[in-house]
Amino acid sequence: MREFAEAWGDEDSIVQSATGQLSWTHNVALLNKISDRELRQWYAPRAVQHGWSVAVLEHQIRTR
């Protein structure tokens, strides 16, 4: 594990997946509002990147 961490250099390179960084309610919203897996995987990192609340995430999903 140490070698792996050293190989990537900076601590920002090793993070959880987007869904792991989101709250449970964010993940529930993604599961309840979107049936397409690829589309959920599109929204999840954007929610993390932009710091969307659950309400904003749901609005983004509704308005596409």
Side-chain angles (χ1 to χ4, degrees):
M1 290 306 293
R2 184 176 297 145
E3 185 176 336
F4 176 81
E6 289 170 358
W8 290 107
D10 69 79
E11 61 190 45
D12 293 332
S13 297
I14 305 170
V15 296
Q16 289 181 320
S17 67
T19 55
Q21 295 177 57
L22 291 172
S23 72
W24 175 249
T25 53
H26 281 84
N27 281 292
V28 169
L30 288 168
L31 291 169
N32 287 338
K33 306 284 183 192
I34 304 171
S35 59
D36 182 83
R37 181 182 176 146
E38 288 182 27
L39 192 54
R40 284 195 306 261
Q41 290 176 338
W42 187 88
Y43 276 102
R46 281 151 187 84
V48 171
Q49 178 184 10
H50 299 293
W52 292 343
S53 66
V54 174
V56 171
L57 173 61
E58 290 176 338
H59 172 77
Q60 294 289 350
I61 293 168
R62 273 193 314 275
T63 59
R64 298 181 183 209

